[in-house]
Coordinates of all heavy atoms in Angstrom, one line a residue:
M1 N 89.0 -0.5 -82.8 CA 89.2 -1.7 -83.3 C 89.3 -2.8 -82.2 O 89.9 -2.6 -81.1 CB 90.6 -1.8 -84.1 CG 90.7 -0.9 -85.3 SD 89.8 -1.6 -86.7 CE 90.9 -2.5 -87.5
A2 N 88.7 -3.9 -82.5 CA 88.7 -5.1 -81.6 C 89.6 -6.2 -82.1 O 89.8 -6.2 -83.4 CB 87.4 -5.7 -81.4
S3 N 90.3 -6.9 -81.2 CA 91.2 -7.9 -81.6 C 90.6 -9.2 -81.4 O 90.1 -9.5 -80.4 CB 92.6 -7.8 -80.9 OG 93.4 -8.8 -81.4
I4 N 90.4 -10.0 -82.5 CA 89.7 -11.2 -82.4 C 90.7 -12.4 -82.6 O 91.5 -12.4 -83.5 CB 88.6 -11.4 -83.6 CG1 87.8 -10.2 -83.7 CG2 87.8 -12.6 -83.4 CD1 87.0 -9.9 -82.5
S5 N 90.7 -13.3 -81.6 CA 91.4 -14.6 -81.8 C 90.7 -15.6 -82.6 O 89.6 -15.9 -82.3 CB 91.8 -15.2 -80.4 OG 92.3 -14.3 -79.6
V6 N 91.4 -16.1 -83.7 CA 90.8 -16.9 -84.7 C 91.6 -18.2 -84.8 O 92.8 -18.2 -84.9 CB 90.7 -16.2 -86.0 CG1 90.0 -17.2 -87.1 CG2 90.1 -14.8 -85.9
T7 N 90.8 -19.3 -84.7 CA 91.4 -20.7 -85.1 C 90.8 -21.0 -86.5 O 89.6 -21.1 -86.6 CB 91.0 -21.7 -84.1 OG1 91.5 -21.3 -82.8 CG2 91.7 -23.0 -84.4
T8 N 91.7 -21.2 -87.4 CA 91.3 -21.6 -88.7 C 90.9 -23.1 -88.7 O 91.1 -23.8 -87.8 CB 92.4 -21.4 -89.7 OG1 93.4 -22.3 -89.5 CG2 92.8 -19.9 -89.8
R9 N 90.3 -23.6 -89.8 CA 90.0 -25.0 -90.0 C 91.1 -25.9 -89.8 O 90.9 -27.1 -89.5 CB 89.3 -25.2 -91.3 CG 87.9 -24.6 -91.4 CD 87.1 -25.1 -92.7 NE 86.0 -24.2 -92.9 CZ 86.1 -23.1 -93.8 NH1 87.1 -23.0 -94.6 NH2 85.0 -22.3 -93.9
D10 N 92.3 -25.5 -90.3 CA 93.4 -26.4 -90.1 C 94.1 -26.2 -88.8 O 95.3 -26.7 -88.5 CB 94.4 -26.3 -91.2 CG 95.0 -24.9 -91.5 OD1 94.7 -24.0 -90.6 OD2 95.7 -24.7 -92.4
G11 N 93.6 -25.4 -88.0 CA 94.1 -25.3 -86.5 C 95.1 -24.1 -86.3 O 95.6 -24.0 -85.3
A12 N 95.4 -23.4 -87.4 CA 96.2 -22.2 -87.3 C 95.6 -21.1 -86.3 O 94.4 -21.0 -86.4 CB 96.6 -21.7 -88.6
K13 N 96.4 -20.4 -85.6 CA 95.9 -19.4 -84.8 C 96.3 -18.0 -85.4 O 97.4 -17.7 -85.7 CB 96.5 -19.4 -83.4 CG 96.4 -20.8 -82.7 CD 95.1 -20.9 -82.2 CE 95.0 -22.3 -81.3 NZ 93.6 -22.6 -80.9
L14 N 95.3 -17.0 -85.5 CA 95.4 -15.8 -86.1 C 94.9 -14.7 -85.1 O 94.0 -15.0 -84.4 CB 94.7 -15.6 -87.5 CG 95.0 -16.6 -88.4 CD1 94.1 -16.4 -89.7 CD2 96.5 -16.4 -89.0
Q15 N 95.4 -13.5 -85.2 CA 94.7 -12.4 -84.5 C 94.1 -11.5 -85.7 O 94.9 -11.1 -86.6 CB 95.7 -11.6 -83.7 CG 96.1 -12.2 -82.4 CD 94.9 -12.3 -81.4 OE1 94.6 -13.5 -80.9 NE2 94.3 -11.2 -81.2
I16 N 92.9 -11.2 -85.6 CA 92.3 -10.4 -86.6 C 91.8 -9.1 -86.0 O 91.1 -9.2 -85.0 CB 91.1 -11.1 -87.2 CG1 91.6 -12.4 -87.9 CG2 90.3 -10.2 -88.4 CD1 92.2 -12.2 -89.3
K17 N 92.1 -8.0 -86.6 CA 91.5 -6.7 -86.1 C 90.2 -6.5 -86.9 O 90.1 -6.6 -88.1 CB 92.4 -5.6 -86.4 CG 93.8 -5.7 -85.8 CD 93.7 -5.2 -84.3 CE 95.1 -5.1 -83.7 NZ 95.0 -5.1 -82.2
A18 N 89.2 -6.1 -86.0 CA 87.9 -5.8 -86.6 C 87.3 -4.6 -86.1 O 87.6 -4.2 -84.9 CB 86.9 -7.0 -86.4
S19 N 86.4 -3.9 -86.8 CA 85.9 -2.6 -86.3 C 84.3 -2.8 -86.4 O 83.8 -3.5 -87.2 CB 86.5 -1.5 -87.0 OG 86.2 -1.6 -88.4
P20 N 83.7 -1.9 -85.6 CA 82.2 -1.9 -85.6 C 81.7 -1.5 -87.0 O 82.3 -0.8 -87.8 CB 81.8 -0.9 -84.6 CG 83.0 -0.8 -83.7 CD 84.2 -0.9 -84.6
A21 N 80.4 -1.9 -87.2 CA 79.7 -1.4 -88.4 C 80.1 -2.2 -89.7 O 79.4 -2.1 -90.8 CB 79.8 0.1 -88.8
I22 N 81.1 -3.0 -89.7 CA 81.4 -3.8 -90.8 C 81.4 -5.3 -90.3 O 81.9 -5.6 -89.2 CB 82.9 -3.5 -91.2 CG1 83.0 -2.0 -91.8 CG2 83.3 -4.5 -92.3 CD1 84.3 -1.6 -92.1
P23 N 80.7 -6.1 -91.0 CA 80.6 -7.5 -90.6 C 81.9 -8.2 -90.3 O 82.8 -7.9 -91.1 CB 79.8 -8.3 -91.7 CG 79.2 -7.1 -92.5 CD 80.1 -5.9 -92.3
L24 N 81.9 -9.0 -89.3 CA 83.2 -9.8 -88.9 C 83.6 -10.5 -90.2 O 84.8 -10.8 -90.4 CB 82.9 -10.7 -87.7 CG 84.1 -11.6 -87.2 CD1 85.3 -10.8 -86.9 CD2 83.7 -12.4 -86.1
M25 N 82.7 -11.1 -90.9 CA 83.0 -11.9 -92.1 C 84.0 -11.3 -93.0 O 85.0 -11.9 -93.4 CB 81.7 -12.2 -93.0 CG 82.0 -12.9 -94.2 SD 82.4 -11.8 -95.6 CE 80.8 -11.0 -96.0
E26 N 83.9 -9.9 -93.1 CA 84.8 -9.2 -94.0 C 86.3 -9.3 -93.5 O 87.2 -9.3 -94.3 CB 84.3 -7.8 -94.3 CG 83.0 -7.7 -95.0 CD 82.6 -6.4 -95.5 OE1 83.5 -5.6 -95.7 OE2 81.4 -6.2 -95.8
F27 N 86.4 -9.1 -92.2 CA 87.8 -9.2 -91.6 C 88.4 -10.6 -91.7 O 89.5 -10.7 -92.0 CB 87.7 -8.6 -90.2 CG 87.3 -7.2 -90.1 CD1 85.9 -6.9 -89.8 CD2 88.1 -6.1 -90.5 CE1 85.5 -5.5 -89.7 CE2 87.7 -4.8 -90.4 CZ 86.4 -4.5 -90.1
L28 N 87.4 -11.6 -91.5 CA 88.0 -13.0 -91.5 C 88.3 -13.3 -93.0 O 89.3 -13.9 -93.3 CB 86.9 -13.9 -91.0 CG 86.5 -13.7 -89.5 CD1 85.3 -14.6 -89.2 CD2 87.8 -14.2 -88.7
R29 N 87.6 -12.9 -93.9 CA 87.8 -13.2 -95.3 C 89.1 -12.4 -95.7 O 90.0 -13.0 -96.3 CB 86.6 -12.7 -96.2 CG 86.7 -12.9 -97.7 CD 85.8 -12.1 -98.5 NE 85.9 -10.7 -98.2 CZ 84.9 -9.7 -98.3 NH1 83.8 -10.0 -98.8 NH2 85.2 -8.4 -98.1
D30 N 89.2 -11.2 -95.5 CA 90.3 -10.3 -95.9 C 91.6 -10.7 -95.1 O 92.8 -10.4 -95.5 CB 90.1 -8.9 -95.8 CG 88.8 -8.5 -96.7 OD1 88.4 -9.3 -97.6 OD2 88.4 -7.5 -96.5
G31 N 91.4 -11.3 -94.0 CA 92.6 -11.7 -93.1 C 93.0 -13.1 -93.3 O 93.8 -13.5 -92.5
S32 N 92.6 -13.7 -94.4 CA 93.1 -15.0 -94.8 C 92.8 -16.1 -93.7 O 93.6 -17.0 -93.5 CB 94.6 -15.0 -95.1 OG 94.9 -14.1 -96.1
A33 N 91.6 -16.0 -93.1 CA 91.3 -16.9 -92.1 C 90.5 -18.1 -92.7 O 90.1 -19.0 -92.0 CB 90.4 -16.2 -91.0
G34 N 90.3 -18.2 -94.0 CA 89.6 -19.2 -94.6 C 88.2 -19.1 -94.7 O 87.5 -20.0 -95.1
V35 N 87.6 -17.9 -94.5 CA 86.2 -17.6 -94.6 C 86.0 -17.0 -96.0 O 86.6 -16.0 -96.4 CB 85.7 -16.6 -93.5 CG1 84.3 -16.0 -93.9 CG2 85.7 -17.3 -92.2
E36 N 85.0 -17.5 -96.8 CA 84.8 -17.0 -98.2 C 83.8 -15.9 -98.3 O 84.0 -15.0 -98.9 CB 84.4 -18.2 -99.1 CG 85.6 -19.2 -99.3 CD 85.1 -20.3 -100.2 OE1 84.4 -21.2 -99.7 OE2 85.6 -20.3 -101.3
G37 N 82.6 -16.2 -97.5 CA 81.6 -15.1 -97.7 C 81.1 -14.9 -99.0 O 80.9 -13.7 -99.5
I38 N 80.8 -15.9 -99.7 CA 80.5 -15.8 -101.2 C 79.4 -14.9 -101.5 O 79.3 -14.2 -102.4 CB 80.3 -17.3 -101.7 CG1 81.6 -18.0 -101.7 CG2 79.7 -17.3 -103.2 CD1 81.5 -19.6 -102.0
C39 N 78.3 -15.0 -100.7 CA 77.0 -14.2 -101.1 C 77.2 -12.8 -100.6 O 76.3 -11.9 -100.7 CB 75.9 -14.8 -100.5 SG 75.6 -14.7 -98.7
G40 N 78.2 -12.4 -99.9 CA 78.5 -11.1 -99.4 C 77.6 -10.6 -98.3 O 77.3 -9.4 -98.1
G41 N 77.1 -11.5 -97.6 CA 76.3 -11.2 -96.4 C 74.8 -11.2 -96.7 O 74.0 -10.7 -95.9
E42 N 74.4 -11.8 -97.8 CA 72.9 -11.9 -98.2 C 72.2 -13.1 -97.6 O 71.1 -13.5 -97.9 CB 72.8 -12.0 -99.6 CG 73.3 -10.7 -100.3 CD 72.5 -9.4 -100.0 OE1 71.3 -9.5 -99.8 OE2 73.2 -8.3 -99.7
L43 N 72.9 -13.8 -96.7 CA 72.3 -15.0 -95.9 C 71.8 -16.1 -96.9 O 70.8 -16.7 -96.8 CB 71.1 -14.6 -95.1 CG 71.5 -13.8 -93.8 CD1 70.2 -13.3 -93.2 CD2 72.3 -14.6 -93.0
S44 N 72.7 -16.3 -97.9 CA 72.3 -17.4 -98.9 C 73.5 -18.4 -99.3 O 73.3 -19.2 -100.1 CB 71.8 -16.8 -100.2 OG 72.9 -16.0 -100.8
C45 N 74.6 -18.3 -98.4 CA 75.6 -19.2 -98.8 C 76.0 -20.1 -97.6 O 76.5 -21.2 -97.9 CB 76.8 -18.5 -99.5 SG 77.8 -17.5 -98.3
G46 N 76.1 -19.6 -96.5 CA 76.6 -20.3 -95.3 C 78.1 -20.5 -95.2 O 78.7 -21.2 -94.3
T47 N 78.9 -19.8 -96.1 CA 80.4 -20.0 -96.2 C 81.0 -19.1 -95.1 O 82.2 -19.1 -95.1 CB 81.0 -19.7 -97.6 OG1 80.7 -18.4 -98.0 CG2 80.2 -20.6 -98.6
C48 N 80.3 -18.4 -94.3 CA 81.0 -17.6 -93.3 C 80.7 -18.1 -92.0 O 80.8 -17.4 -90.9 CB 80.3 -16.2 -93.4 SG 78.6 -16.2 -93.2
H49 N 80.4 -19.4 -91.9 CA 80.0 -20.1 -90.6 C 81.2 -20.1 -89.7 O 82.3 -20.4 -90.0 CB 79.7 -21.5 -90.9 CG 79.3 -22.4 -89.8 ND1 79.5 -23.8 -89.8 CD2 78.8 -22.2 -88.6 CE1 79.1 -24.3 -88.7 NE2 78.7 -23.3 -87.9
I50 N 81.0 -19.7 -88.4 CA 81.9 -19.7 -87.5 C 81.4 -20.2 -86.1 O 80.2 -20.3 -86.0 CB 82.6 -18.2 -87.1 CG1 81.5 -17.3 -86.6 CG2 83.4 -17.7 -88.3 CD1 82.0 -16.0 -86.2
Y51 N 82.3 -20.7 -85.2 CA 81.8 -21.0 -83.8 C 82.4 -19.9 -82.9 O 83.5 -19.5 -83.1 CB 82.4 -22.4 -83.4 CG 82.0 -23.5 -84.2 CD1 83.0 -24.4 -84.8 CD2 80.7 -23.9 -84.4 CE1 82.7 -25.5 -85.5 CE2 80.4 -25.0 -85.1 CZ 81.4 -25.8 -85.7 OH 81.0 -26.9 -86.5
I52 N 81.5 -19.3 -82.1 CA 82.0 -18.4 -81.1 C 82.4 -19.2 -79.8 O 81.7 -19.8 -79.2 CB 80.8 -17.5 -80.8 CG1 80.2 -16.8 -81.9 CG2 81.4 -16.4 -79.7 CD1 80.9 -15.6 -82.6
D53 N 83.8 -19.2 -79.6 CA 84.3 -19.9 -78.6 C 84.3 -19.2 -77.3 O 84.2 -19.8 -76.2 CB 85.8 -20.3 -78.9 CG 85.9 -21.2 -80.1 OD1 85.0 -22.0 -80.3 OD2 86.8 -20.9 -80.9
A54 N 84.4 -17.9 -77.3 CA 84.4 -17.0 -76.1 C 84.1 -15.7 -76.4 O 84.4 -15.2 -77.6 CB 85.7 -17.2 -75.4
G55 N 83.6 -14.9 -75.6 CA 83.4 -13.4 -75.7 C 82.2 -13.0 -76.5 O 82.0 -11.8 -76.8
G56 N 81.3 -13.9 -76.8 CA 80.1 -13.5 -77.6 C 78.8 -13.4 -76.9 O 77.8 -13.3 -77.5
E57 N 78.9 -13.2 -75.5 CA 77.7 -13.3 -74.7 C 76.8 -12.0 -75.0 O 75.7 -12.1 -74.8 CB 78.1 -13.2 -73.2 CG 78.8 -14.5 -72.7 CD 80.4 -14.6 -73.1 OE1 80.9 -13.5 -73.6 OE2 81.0 -15.6 -72.8
S58 N 77.4 -11.0 -75.4 CA 76.6 -9.7 -75.6 C 76.0 -9.7 -77.0 O 75.4 -8.6 -77.4 CB 77.4 -8.5 -75.3 OG 78.5 -8.3 -76.1
L59 N 76.4 -10.6 -77.8 CA 75.9 -10.5 -79.2 C 74.4 -10.8 -79.2 O 73.8 -11.5 -78.5 CB 76.5 -11.6 -80.1 CG 78.0 -11.6 -80.5 CD1 78.5 -12.7 -81.2 CD2 78.3 -10.3 -81.3
P60 N 73.6 -10.0 -80.2 CA 72.2 -10.3 -80.3 C 72.0 -11.7 -80.8 O 72.9 -12.3 -81.4 CB 71.8 -9.2 -81.3 CG 73.0 -8.8 -82.0 CD 74.2 -9.0 -81.1
P61 N 70.8 -12.2 -80.4 CA 70.5 -13.6 -80.9 C 70.4 -13.6 -82.5 O 70.4 -12.6 -83.1 CB 69.1 -14.0 -80.3 CG 68.6 -12.6 -80.0 CD 69.8 -11.6 -79.7
R62 N 70.5 -14.9 -83.0 CA 70.4 -15.0 -84.4 C 69.1 -14.4 -84.9 O 68.0 -14.6 -84.3 CB 70.3 -16.6 -84.7 CG 71.6 -17.3 -84.3 CD 71.4 -18.8 -84.4 NE 72.6 -19.6 -84.0 CZ 72.4 -20.9 -83.8 NH1 71.3 -21.5 -83.8 NH2 73.5 -21.5 -83.4
S63 N 69.1 -13.9 -86.1 CA 67.9 -13.4 -86.8 C 67.2 -14.6 -87.3 O 67.8 -15.7 -87.4 CB 68.2 -12.4 -87.8 OG 68.9 -13.1 -88.8
E64 N 66.0 -14.5 -87.8 CA 65.2 -15.5 -88.5 C 66.0 -15.9 -89.7 O 66.1 -17.2 -90.0 CB 63.9 -15.0 -88.9 CG 62.7 -15.6 -88.2 CD 61.4 -15.1 -88.7 OE1 61.1 -15.3 -89.8 OE2 60.7 -14.5 -87.9
G65 N 66.5 -15.1 -90.4 CA 67.3 -15.4 -91.7 C 68.6 -16.1 -91.4 O 68.9 -17.1 -92.1
E66 N 69.3 -15.7 -90.3 CA 70.5 -16.4 -90.0 C 70.2 -17.8 -89.5 O 70.8 -18.8 -89.9 CB 71.3 -15.6 -88.8 CG 72.5 -16.3 -88.5 CD 73.3 -15.5 -87.4 OE1 72.7 -14.5 -86.9 OE2 74.4 -15.9 -87.0
Q67 N 69.1 -18.0 -88.6 CA 68.7 -19.2 -88.2 C 68.4 -20.1 -89.3 O 68.8 -21.4 -89.4 CB 67.5 -19.2 -87.2 CG 67.2 -20.4 -86.5 CD 68.3 -21.1 -85.8 OE1 68.8 -20.5 -84.9 NE2 68.7 -22.3 -86.1
A68 N 67.6 -19.6 -90.4 CA 67.2 -20.4 -91.5 C 68.4 -20.9 -92.3 O 68.4 -22.1 -92.8 CB 66.3 -19.6 -92.4
M69 N 69.4 -20.1 -92.5 CA 70.6 -20.5 -93.2 C 71.5 -21.6 -92.4 O 71.9 -22.6 -92.9 CB 71.5 -19.3 -93.6 CG 72.7 -19.5 -94.5 SD 72.1 -19.9 -96.1 CE 72.7 -21.5 -96.4
L70 N 71.5 -21.4 -91.1 CA 72.2 -22.5 -90.3 C 71.3 -23.7 -90.3 O 72.0 -24.8 -90.4 CB 72.3 -21.9 -88.8 CG 73.4 -20.8 -88.7 CD1 73.2 -20.2 -87.3 CD2 74.7 -21.4 -88.9
D71 N 70.1 -23.7 -90.3 CA 69.3 -24.8 -90.4 C 69.6 -25.6 -91.7 O 69.6 -26.8 -91.8 CB 67.8 -24.5 -90.3 CG 67.3 -24.1 -88.8 OD1 68.1 -24.4 -88.0 OD2 66.2 -23.6 -88.7
A72 N 69.7 -24.8 -92.8 CA 69.9 -25.3 -94.2 C 71.3 -26.0 -94.3 O 71.4 -27.1 -94.9 CB 69.9 -24.1 -95.2
I73 N 72.3 -25.5 -93.6 CA 73.7 -26.2 -93.7 C 73.8 -27.3 -92.7 O 74.7 -28.0 -92.7 CB 74.8 -25.2 -93.6 CG1 74.9 -24.6 -92.2 CG2 74.7 -24.1 -94.7 CD1 76.2 -23.7 -92.0
A74 N 72.9 -27.4 -91.7 CA 73.0 -28.4 -90.6 C 72.8 -29.8 -91.1 O 73.2 -30.8 -90.5 CB 71.9 -28.1 -89.5
D75 N 72.3 -29.9 -92.4 CA 72.2 -31.3 -93.0 C 73.6 -31.8 -93.5 O 73.7 -33.0 -93.8 CB 71.2 -31.3 -94.1 CG 69.8 -31.2 -93.7 OD1 69.5 -31.4 -92.5 OD2 68.9 -30.8 -94.5
F76 N 74.5 -30.9 -93.6 CA 75.8 -31.2 -94.1 C 77.0 -30.9 -93.3 O 78.0 -31.6 -93.4 CB 76.1 -30.3 -95.4 CG 74.9 -30.3 -96.4 CD1 73.9 -29.3 -96.4 CD2 74.8 -31.5 -97.2 CE1 72.8 -29.4 -97.3 CE2 73.7 -31.6 -98.1 CZ 72.7 -30.5 -98.2
V77 N 76.9 -30.1 -92.3 CA 78.0 -29.8 -91.4 C 77.5 -29.6 -89.9 O 76.3 -29.6 -89.7 CB 78.8 -28.5 -91.7 CG1 79.3 -28.6 -93.1 CG2 77.8 -27.2 -91.6
E78 N 78.4 -29.8 -89.0 CA 78.0 -29.6 -87.6 C 77.6 -28.1 -87.2 O 78.5 -27.3 -87.2 CB 79.1 -30.1 -86.7 CG 78.7 -30.1 -85.2 CD 79.8 -30.5 -84.2 OE1 81.0 -30.9 -84.8 OE2 79.6 -30.6 -83.1
V79 N 76.4 -28.0 -86.9 CA 76.0 -26.7 -86.4 C 75.8 -26.8 -84.9 O 75.1 -27.7 -84.5 CB 74.7 -26.2 -87.0 CG1 74.1 -24.9 -86.4 CG2 75.0 -25.9 -88.6
R80 N 76.4 -25.9 -84.2 CA 76.4 -26.0 -82.7 C 75.6 -24.8 -82.1 O 75.4 -23.9 -82.9 CB 77.9 -25.9 -82.1 CG 78.8 -26.9 -82.7 CD 80.1 -26.7 -82.2 NE 81.2 -27.6 -82.8 CZ 82.5 -27.5 -82.7 NH1 83.0 -26.5 -82.1 NH2 83.3 -28.4 -83.3
P81 N 75.3 -24.8 -80.9 CA 74.6 -23.7 -80.2 C 75.4 -22.5 -80.4 O 74.9 -21.4 -80.3 CB 74.5 -24.2 -78.7 CG 74.4 -25.7 -78.8 CD 75.3 -26.1 -79.9
T82 N 76.8 -22.6 -80.5 CA 77.6 -21.5 -80.6 C 77.9 -21.0 -82.1 O 78.6 -20.0 -82.3 CB 79.0 -21.6 -79.9 OG1 79.6 -22.8 -80.6 CG2 78.9 -22.0 -78.5
S83 N 77.2 -21.7 -83.0 CA 77.4 -21.4 -84.4 C 76.8 -20.0 -84.7 O 75.7 -19.7 -84.3 CB 76.7 -22.4 -85.3 OG 77.5 -23.7 -85.3
R84 N 77.5 -19.2 -85.5 CA 77.0 -18.0 -86.1 C 77.4 -17.8 -87.5 O 78.4 -18.5 -87.9 CB 77.4 -16.7 -85.3 CG 77.1 -16.7 -83.8 CD 75.5 -16.6 -83.6 NE 74.9 -15.5 -84.2 CZ 74.5 -14.5 -83.6 NH1 74.6 -14.4 -82.2 NH2 73.8 -13.4 -84.2
L85 N 76.7 -17.1 -88.3 CA 77.2 -16.6 -89.6 C 77.9 -15.4 -89.4 O 77.4 -14.3 -88.9 CB 76.0 -16.5 -90.6 CG 75.2 -17.9 -90.8 CD1 74.0 -17.6 -91.7 CD2 76.2 -18.9 -91.4
S86 N 79.2 -15.3 -89.6 CA 80.0 -14.1 -89.3 C 79.6 -12.9 -90.2 O 79.9 -11.8 -89.8 CB 81.5 -14.4 -89.5 OG 81.8 -14.8 -90.8
C87 N 78.8 -13.0 -91.2 CA 78.3 -11.9 -91.9 C 77.3 -11.1 -91.2 O 76.9 -10.0 -91.5 CB 77.7 -12.3 -93.2 SG 76.3 -13.3 -93.3
Q88 N 76.7 -11.8 -90.1 CA 75.7 -11.2 -89.2 C 76.3 -10.8 -87.9 O 75.6 -10.3 -87.0 CB 74.6 -12.1 -89.0 CG 74.0 -12.7 -90.3 CD 73.5 -11.6 -91.2 OE1 72.6 -10.7 -90.7 NE2 73.9 -11.5 -92.4
V89 N 77.6 -10.9 -87.7 CA 78.2 -10.6 -86.3 C 79.0 -9.3 -86.5 O 79.8 -9.1 -87.5 CB 79.2 -11.7 -86.0 CG1 80.0 -11.4 -84.7 CG2 78.4 -13.0 -85.7
F90 N 78.8 -8.5 -85.6 CA 79.4 -7.1 -85.5 C 80.1 -7.0 -84.2 O 79.6 -7.3 -83.1 CB 78.5 -5.9 -85.7 CG 77.9 -5.9 -87.1 CD1 76.8 -6.7 -87.4 CD2 78.5 -5.2 -88.1 CE1 76.3 -6.8 -88.6 CE2 77.9 -5.2 -89.4 CZ 76.7 -5.9 -89.6
V91 N 81.4 -6.7 -84.2 CA 82.2 -6.6 -82.9 C 82.3 -5.1 -82.5 O 82.2 -4.2 -83.4 CB 83.6 -7.2 -83.1 CG1 83.4 -8.7 -83.4 CG2 84.4 -6.4 -84.0
D92 N 82.3 -4.9 -81.2 CA 82.5 -3.5 -80.7 C 83.1 -3.7 -79.3 O 83.5 -4.8 -78.8 CB 81.2 -2.7 -80.7 CG 80.1 -3.4 -79.9 OD1 80.3 -4.1 -79.0 OD2 78.9 -3.1 -80.2
E93 N 83.0 -2.6 -78.6 CA 83.6 -2.6 -77.2 C 82.9 -3.7 -76.2 O 83.4 -4.0 -75.2 CB 83.6 -1.2 -76.6 CG 82.3 -0.6 -76.4 CD 81.7 0.1 -77.6 OE1 82.4 0.2 -78.7 OE2 80.5 0.4 -77.5
S94 N 81.7 -4.1 -76.6 CA 80.9 -5.0 -75.8 C 81.4 -6.4 -76.1 O 81.0 -7.4 -75.4 CB 79.5 -4.9 -76.0 OG 79.0 -5.3 -77.3
T95 N 82.3 -6.6 -77.0 CA 82.7 -8.0 -77.4 C 84.3 -8.1 -77.2 O 84.9 -8.5 -78.2 CB 82.3 -8.4 -78.8 OG1 82.7 -7.4 -79.7 CG2 80.8 -8.5 -78.9
P96 N 84.8 -7.8 -76.1 CA 86.3 -7.8 -75.9 C 86.7 -9.3 -75.9 O 86.0 -10.1 -75.4 CB 86.6 -7.0 -74.7 CG 85.4 -7.3 -73.9 CD 84.2 -7.3 -74.9
D97 N 87.9 -9.5 -76.4 CA 88.5 -10.8 -76.2 C 87.7 -11.9 -76.8 O 87.7 -13.0 -76.3 CB 88.7 -11.1 -74.7 CG 89.5 -10.1 -74.0 OD1 90.4 -9.6 -74.6 OD2 89.1 -9.8 -72.8
M98 N 87.1 -11.6 -77.9 CA 86.3 -12.7 -78.7 C 87.2 -13.7 -79.3 O 88.3 -13.3 -79.8 CB 85.4 -12.0 -79.7 CG 84.4 -13.1 -80.4 SD 83.4 -12.4 -81.6 CE 82.1 -11.6 -80.6
Q99 N 86.8 -14.9 -79.2 CA 87.6 -16.0 -79.8 C 86.6 -16.9 -80.7 O 85.5 -17.2 -80.2 CB 88.2 -16.9 -78.7 CG 89.2 -16.3 -77.8 CD 89.5 -17.2 -76.7 OE1 89.6 -18.4 -76.8 NE2 89.9 -16.6 -75.5
V100 N 87.0 -17.0 -81.9 CA 86.2 -17.8 -82.8 C 87.1 -18.9 -83.5 O 88.2 -18.8 -83.6 CB 85.5 -16.8 -83.9 CG1 84.8 -15.6 -83.3 CG2 86.5 -16.4 -84.9
T101 N 86.2 -19.9 -84.0 CA 86.8 -21.0 -84.8 C 86.0 -20.9 -86.1 O 84.9 -20.9 -86.1 CB 86.7 -22.3 -84.1 OG1 87.5 -22.3 -82.9 CG2 87.2 -23.4 -85.0
V102 N 86.8 -20.9 -87.2 CA 86.1 -21.0 -88.4 C 85.5 -22.3 -88.7 O 86.1 -23.4 -88.5 CB 87.2 -20.7 -89.7 CG1 86.6 -20.9 -91.0 CG2 87.9 -19.3 -89.5
G103 N 84.2 -22.3 -88.9 CA 83.4 -23.5 -89.0 C 83.4 -24.2 -90.4 O 83.8 -23.7 -91.3
P104 N 83.0 -25.4 -90.3 CA 82.9 -26.2 -91.7 C 81.8 -25.5 -92.4 O 80.9 -25.0 -92.0 CB 82.5 -27.6 -91.2 CG 81.9 -27.5 -89.9 CD 82.5 -26.2 -89.2
V105 N 82.0 -25.7 -93.8 CA 80.9 -25.3 -94.8 C 80.4 -26.5 -95.7 O 81.1 -27.4 -95.8 CB 81.5 -24.1 -95.6 CG1 81.7 -22.9 -94.8 CG2 82.6 -24.6 -96.4
A106 N 79.2 -26.3 -96.1 CA 78.6 -27.4 -96.9 C 79.3 -27.5 -98.2 O 79.7 -26.4 -98.7 CB 77.1 -27.2 -97.0
Ligands
LIG1 S1 78.3 -14.4 -96.4 FE1 76.8 -15.8 -97.2 S2 75.6 -16.3 -95.4 FE2 77.2 -15.1 -94.6

């Protein structure tokens, strides 16, 4: 299990435990971090938007589908270079000390 430092949209700080093979979105959603993940990871809602504040250097780049969804929500919310869809993010031993902020949603 990895421990993820999370800042919610209202500025609250949480520690979330996450494990490999399960999308980070599920831990954020189930950990009351304010992530909804409405589409269940199908890349069609954008409600799992996060900013990676630290510790994401080893993550693979955005897939085409993830980029397309981020492009779609960029008309409504601030998408940054550090934006990711947490349904596409998996943590493991290569992502220690990850810090994320729950992003705005359209
Ligand atoms: S859960 Fe819908 S895009 Fe990630």
Side-chain angles (χ1 to χ4, degrees):
M1 296 286 272
S3 185
I4 312 296
S5 300
V6 181
T7 303
T8 65
R9 288 190 197 100
D10 60 7
K13 306 282 188 188
L14 305 173
Q15 287 293 130
I16 300 282
K17 296 282 188 198
S19 59
I22 297 174
L24 179 58
M25 175 274 287
E26 296 192 22
F27 298 100
L28 295 170
R29 179 193 63 201
D30 299 346
S32 302
V35 166
E36 293 180 286
I38 290 172
C39 75
E42 296 296 321
L43 288 174
S44 62
C45 73
T47 63
C48 61
H49 179 207
I50 59 172
Y51 300 125
I52 306 283
D53 301 321
E57 296 81 5
S58 65
L59 291 175
R62 299 168 181 164
S63 68
E64 248 179 62
E66 182 180 6
Q67 185 63 56
M69 190 68 241
L70 287 168
D71 289 344
I73 67 172
D75 288 340
F76 307 100
V77 300
E78 181 183 3
V79 172
R80 303 175 184 169
T82 59
S83 287
R84 297 300 302 254
L85 296 178
S86 59
C87 67
Q88 305 301 305
V89 173
F90 295 84
V91 300
D92 60 25
E93 63 280 347
S94 71
T95 55
D97 306 319
M98 185 182 282
Q99 299 173 28
V100 308
T101 296
V102 178
V105 295

